[in-house]
Amino acid sequence: MKLHLISLGCVKNLIDSEVMLGKLKNYTITSNINDADVIIINTCGFIESAKEESINTILEAIEEKKDNAILVVAGCLSQRYKEELQKELPEVDIFTGVGDYDKIDELIAKKQSTFSDKVYLITNEDRIITNSNYHAYIKLSEGCNQKCSFCAIPGFKGKLNSREIPQIIDEIKRLKEKGYIDFSLASQDSSSYLKDKGIRDGLERLIDEIDKIDGINVRILYLYPSTTTKRLIKKILSSKNVQNYFDIPIQHISPRMLKIMKRGSSVNKLKELLNLMQSEFSFIRTSVIIGHPGETDEDFEILANFLKKYQFDRINVFAYSDEEGTTAYLRKDKIDKKTIDKRIDKINKIIKKSTHKRLKLYLNKTIECFMDGLIDDGLFYSVRPKLWTPEVDGDILINESEIDTLKIGEIYNVLVTQIAKDQLIGKIINN
């Protein structure tokens, strides 16, 4: 039996997809949807563009699948719009939401749709890691206790539900035994980890346990501004294994907009946190939302000027997505698309300059990097600094090496020799 799986959306979705692969390890994985006996689409339902991508992927699968192939639609979109999807897409054989990834083998065997009342949270299930033989994502928690005006996630993912520290440490150790040495920790709000268990410094305690493991490299994704503390930042900066990597979506910097967006963080505190992150050589990623209802020209200029001044390593910019079930959806002061597009164009120009300026800091420096192998044209090797997250943060191209035999997943010293537009180029040195 052949299986074709498509995982859409965030890395947390990817982890759930890998759990499903682990449950279906007797299947042969095929990249050709036409050959598959079972097709699984793990959907995303976060914002409008993600929903469109999920729907289009389902419709394409319906067209391309062979006769008698079983089509499974799982995940966030399926959970959020279960009644509508089941009514409009009778060609789908199995619908399931965000609660039964570990039962996917049973659902396929019974050809049964189901929607659990609880959100699935990985415990000790074996999963098949995709896209890498040395890097894996680790899920810290599910759900979120924040009440951001624009976010629909708590509506279908529920409240914060954290894994226990021993579970996470055990998973890292088991994966290390299989050769994985690079890890990215992820959740909706990582800085709130274990607060649902009444523990205020849960992430700091986890870092202490991670530092007891030899030979691993770790970074933490998705710190929430109002639950991130100076003490947590200092813990990361002093950690043996956790990189100085700060993924902290500010969304805005205008005090008025932060209040409207229900972000729960003062501008002064946010700036203090960001300055502390920059006190040592660090990588700082953020995201911003443009065109949230109520955003005035003045609010936008405050944000634009701040992004010019602060110089993040990477910035994701999103157009506001009007999501039913959110408080922003009910507001009457919506921003027109033309205005949003104009503002995004300006932000993108700022991002381009900011990113280039930060990349120049790497010139003529020697950096420890993971080898990812030859790129498509076969002319360059691709390596990734230990500090950077796979895929989203880019790579360094290698056109020269003092070492003859190179191995994927190994760590090499890379001297950055030049920058071409926004691409770093370097050589592997033997020291």
Side-chain angles (χ1 to χ4, degrees), residues 211-272:
D211 279 346
K212 295 177 183 177
I213 306 173
D214 292 328
I216 63 170
N217 186 68
V218 179
R219 65 195 66 75
I220 301 170
L221 310 182
Y222 313 129
L223 300 177
Y224 193 88
S226 67
T227 55
T228 298
T229 63
K230 292 181 181 179
R231 183 172 157 179
L232 172 59
I233 294 170
K234 290 176 182 177
K235 174 66 72 173
I236 292 172
L237 292 173
S238 65
S239 171
K240 179 183 78 170
N241 290 332
V242 178
Q243 290 286 337
N244 295 350
Y245 186 97
F246 300 98
D247 181 6
I248 182 163
I250 63 170
Q251 308 302 8
H252 221 286
I253 201 66
S254 159
R256 178 177 169 277
M257 285 310 300
L258 287 175
K259 185 175 181 181
I260 288 174
M261 297 166 99
K262 300 185 177 180
R263 293 293 287 174
S265 180
S266 73
V267 171
N268 287 338
K269 181 201 170 185
L270 187 52
K271 290 180 178 178
E272 287 176 2

Side-chain angles (χ1 to χ4, degrees), residues 48 135 179 229 238 300 320 335 339 341 344 376 402 405 413:
E48 191 63 34
H135 171 268
T229 63
S238 65
F300 172 73
Y320 167 76
I335 312 298
T339 299
D341 290 343
I344 287 179
D376 292 340
E402 296 177 357
T405 304
N413 286 308

Side-chain angles (χ1 to χ4, degrees), residues 83-174:
E83 289 86 6
E84 296 93 327
L85 290 176
Q86 289 180 93
K87 179 180 177 182
E88 297 296 330
L89 296 171
E91 301 91 342
V92 175
D93 299 287
I94 299 171
F95 282 100
T96 183
V98 295
D100 295 295
Y101 297 111
D102 59 333
K103 299 182 181 66
I104 190 64
D105 51 340
E106 299 173 21
L107 300 181
I108 291 172
K110 297 175 182 177
K111 210 171 180 180
Q112 173 186 343
S113 295
T114 185
F115 291 91
S116 175
D117 293 333
K118 293 184 179 180
V119 177
Y120 168 76
L121 182 61
I122 184 173
T123 53
N124 61 351
E125 290 85 358
D126 282 328
R127 56 190 174 107
I128 295 177
I129 307 299
T130 59
N131 301 329
S132 178
N133 66 351
Y134 70 90
H135 171 268
Y137 291 100
I138 303 292
K139 186 177 289 192
L140 297 182
S141 63
E142 268 296 359
C144 184
N145 286 349
Q146 308 303 333
K147 298 178 180 179
C148 301
S149 62
F150 51 84
C151 184
I153 287 176
F156 55 89
K157 283 291 186 85
K159 293 286 188 180
L160 179 68
N161 183 19
S162 302
R163 299 173 70 190
E164 300 290 348
I165 288 177
Q167 282 185 0
I168 294 171
I169 296 301
D170 178 65
E171 183 177 19
I172 292 174
K173 288 180 177 178
R174 284 188 285 114

Side-chain angles (χ1 to χ4, degrees), residues 402-421:
E402 296 177 357
I403 301 173
D404 293 331
T405 304
L406 300 172
K407 184 179 178 183
I408 292 175
E410 289 290 316
I411 298 172
Y412 298 97
N413 286 308
V414 172
L415 175 63
V416 179
T417 57
Q418 58 182 300
I419 178 171
K421 295 184 179 179

